[in-house]
Amino acid sequence: MNQLQLFLPCAAGVEELLALEVKRITGTTGKAWRAGVQVAGSWRDALQLNLHSRLAQRVLIELQHNSYRSEQDLYNAAAAVAWEIWFTPKQTFKVEITAQHSPLTSLNFAALKIKDAIADRFRDKYDVRPDVDTRWPDVRIYAHLTTDAVTLYIDTSGEPLFKRGWREDKGDAPLKETLAAAMLAASGWSGDEGLCKQGVPLYDPCCGSGTIVIEAAQVARNIAAGMGRRFAFEKFVPFQSHVWEGLLDQAEAAITAPTAPVFGSDVSFRMVDFAQRNAERAGVADVVQLRGGDALQRMPPAPSGVMLVNPPYGERIDVAGVAGIPAAQGRDQRRSTQFQGEAIDEFGQPLAQGHGDERDESGAAPARDRSANPAREQAQTDSGEEVSDFFPQLASHWKKNYAGWTAHVLSPDMKLPQKMRLKESRRVPMWNGPIECRLFRFDMVTGSARGKPAPGLAPPSPLAPSPSGRGLG
């Protein structure tokens, strides 16, 4: 238990940011892979990462890495793992399997062989087999297959880490908390030397049910991301309640007064109400200042600061307000959000051969985890009208009224800067589920000054090169 291989899946494009976060939490340098970070750590590190990571989707412990050629090889690999040191026959489990270029013809059968190996090992040792529960298992086991290798993991998180425990009120397609945290980190507002610690205000003018502003407010108060939820490791054999209570006490003692103001507004007053209730459950109702109002009309809440925006996008753009008029055509926007390719698994790899979940007694596959689906937080209105001029009007409003601010806009539309008639100073690749996006940075400078970031704001990130032109387009 003193030396474990941990793997933390994350959204594609967030790997380097997650590696920095892992170093901050554990003091150990991890290796960034596609859609994840691998790091050597202890059992205590696994607990700490679950409690404090804002960017990881899960914390997995690697238990086996072997070559294979057939399903029997998978059985042998799983049977060699000492599962009994992790959980007991009284607990339920589930096997999930993903693959990249696997030669096997059926992932469902491969998952069945791994499940049988685990159950048989318990039967041989204790004369009893643990039950399989495909919906609410005590223990989740992940198998990842490449062309010739199988890696087995046990999941210490349970529910994905983006489920912080405070979101009960939400729109139809809310932004994941982990992606909101990635936007904060990529903008330079959060992190070890983040602008939050310098008291720089943050504002989301399309806040929806509050994901971005609540994440920001928790950062401003140093509230651990996992303070309000339970984890799978609490049912594991190595779990010691007094150790966990000590980590929770340390996290609670580290909470501070807010280091920066956080503002949010939305055209839908219903969504503002949702955000307020979510903020109360997250312990930051006194930090976030929420208002209703159209993003095209609201004036800046402070002389300067950082705007972080996940604007409405998709087949419908429900922004309403002064730009809420029917659009003649929405084809370009629809094309920009279509995903050209295959679904992506927990490890950022294409699911070429299906999901491979365990099946129930009827032989039916359980419902897929919808948390992997593309998601975004949209302002909800009664009109449901499409708009074509929202972004140009938003840019004009910012040019006129937001000099001294830096705006970071997440969008799948690579031509967004041209549509807004702004010159981006940075674009960071970031995936929203299977949708490839960019986090565009626009520096709202006074007059025609170019090449000068707003005073007191972050320089361009070393993660993405900056083009020569800056400022207003």
Side-chain angles (χ1 to χ4, degrees):
M1 294 296 176
N2 291 329
Q3 189 69 9
L4 303 171
Q5 284 296 322
L6 308 177
F7 184 76
L8 287 70
C10 65
V14 181
E15 301 90 348
E16 296 296 336
L17 295 170
L18 176 56
L20 292 173
E21 182 187 63
V22 168
K23 178 67 178 296
R24 182 167 64 249
I25 294 171
T26 68
T28 304
T29 301
K31 182 176 182 180
W33 297 86
R34 183 187 177 192
V37 171
Q38 187 174 38
V39 63
S42 64
W43 171 252
R44 184 185 180 92
D45 290 332
L47 272 56
Q48 289 274 50
L49 287 165
N50 274 290
L51 178 58
H52 292 284
S53 178
R54 294 191 173 275
L55 303 176
Q57 295 172 350
R58 300 179 183 275
V59 179
L60 307 176
I61 298 176
E62 180 183 318
L63 300 181
Q64 184 70 279
H65 181 78
N66 265 8
S67 60
Y68 79 99
R69 297 185 63 182
S70 67
E71 289 86 355
Q72 185 60 40
D73 293 332
L74 302 182
Y75 180 97
N76 296 338
V81 175
W83 301 104
E84 63 275 7
I85 71 174
W86 296 101
F87 64 102
T88 73
K90 296 180 180 180
Q91 293 166 299
T92 59
F93 75 103
K94 175 185 179 181
V95 174
E96 296 192 45
I97 190 165
T98 58
Q100 181 187 21
H101 309 304
S102 172
L104 301 183
T105 56
S106 171
L107 289 188
N108 289 327
F109 183 59
L112 181 64
K113 295 295 288 185
I114 294 171
K115 184 268 293 182
D116 286 344
I118 297 169
D120 289 348
R121 182 178 177 107
F122 277 103
R123 183 193 60 191
D124 292 343
K125 285 186 172 292
Y126 304 110
D127 267 345
V128 60
R129 294 163 58 109
D131 292 331
V132 171
D133 185 341
T134 59
R135 291 183 60 82
W136 305 108
D138 296 318
V139 178
R140 288 177 170 88
I141 294 162
Y142 288 91
H144 182 61
L145 307 180
T146 61
T147 306
D148 56 3
V150 54
T151 309
L152 298 175
Y153 303 89
I154 191 167
D155 174 23
T156 66
S157 303
E159 289 293 296
L161 293 181
F162 76 83
K163 296 185 178 182
R164 311 288 202 222
W166 50 258
R167 191 214 295 273
E168 294 182 14
D169 296 288
K170 57 186 178 181
D172 291 336
L175 181 73
K176 286 184 179 179
E177 290 85 339
T178 46
L179 184 57
M183 294 169 64
L184 288 166
S187 72
W189 194 80
S190 65
D192 287 336
E193 303 298 329
L195 299 175
C196 173
K197 294 184 179 180
Q198 303 173 28
V200 174
L202 184 128
Y203 175 40
D204 180 1
C206 301
C207 71
S209 61
T211 304
I212 291 174
V213 293
I214 291 173
E215 281 293 307
Q218 286 201 333
V219 169
R221 291 203 61 200
N222 199 33
I223 297 175
M227 285 286 286
R229 56 162 287 168
R230 306 298 294 269
F231 299 93
F233 62 71
E234 296 178 61
K235 297 181 179 180
F236 287 9
V237 172
F239 178 72
Q240 295 176 299
S241 59
H242 70 278
V243 174
W244 179 234
E245 290 296 330
L247 296 179
L248 290 174
D249 289 344
Q250 291 177 13
E252 187 170 358
I255 297 175
T256 65
T259 54
V262 178
F263 305 92
S265 63
D266 198 276
V267 69
S268 168
F269 285 84
R270 172 174 172 264
M271 298 304 290
V272 173
D273 288 342
F274 284 1
Q276 188 65 48
R277 291 199 290 266
N278 287 331
E280 290 170 0
R281 282 185 289 269
V284 293
D286 59 335
V287 182
V288 182
Q289 301 180 49
L290 296 165
R291 299 287 187 274
D294 191 342
L296 303 182
Q297 296 179 325
R298 287 211 64 89
M299 300 303 290
S304 64
V306 172
M307 275 190 291
L308 206 59
V309 191
N310 177 43
Y313 58 80
E315 291 194 352
R316 304 188 70 84
I317 303 179
D318 298 331
V319 292
V322 298
I325 56 176
Q329 300 290 337
R331 299 189 189 93
D332 290 342
Q333 189 67 24
R334 284 192 283 273
R335 279 198 297 268
S336 71
T337 61
Q338 290 175 349
F339 176 63
Q340 304 298 325
E342 301 166 299
I344 295 174
D345 65 22
E346 284 278 352
F347 308 94
Q349 305 296 345
L351 285 171
Q353 300 185 14
H355 192 245
D357 279 330
E358 290 290 333
R359 295 180 176 265
D360 59 24
E361 293 180 354
S362 67
R368 289 288 304 275
D369 181 0
R370 308 310 295 180
S371 66
N373 284 354
R376 57 129 357 256
E377 193 141 49
Q378 285 186 280
Q380 302 298 307
T381 69
D382 294 330
S383 65
E385 297 171 323
E386 290 184 339
V387 297
S388 60
D389 57 352
F390 172 71
F391 292 111
Q393 289 193 39
L394 183 64
S396 296
H397 179 59
W398 285 353
K399 290 178 186 179
K400 181 179 179 181
N401 300 296
Y402 281 80
W405 284 76
T406 297
H408 299 262
V409 183
L410 183 71
S411 175
D413 188 352
M414 305 304 164
K415 295 183 178 180
L416 182 68
Q418 293 97 305
K419 291 181 178 179
M420 297 185 74
R421 301 185 184 93
L422 293 173
K423 179 64 177 178
E424 78 275 19
S425 60
R426 184 183 10 155
R427 54 171 67 196
V428 179
M430 199 169 285
W431 289 75
N432 186 359
I435 301 176
E436 183 178 5
C437 299
R438 295 293 184 273
L439 185 65
F440 296 99
R441 168 175 165 157
F442 303 108
D443 298 319
M444 300 293 113
V445 297
T446 304
S448 60
R450 295 177 180 269
K452 298 179 181 179
L457 299 183
S461 166
L463 301 180
S466 172
S468 57
R470 293 189 183 180
L472 303 182

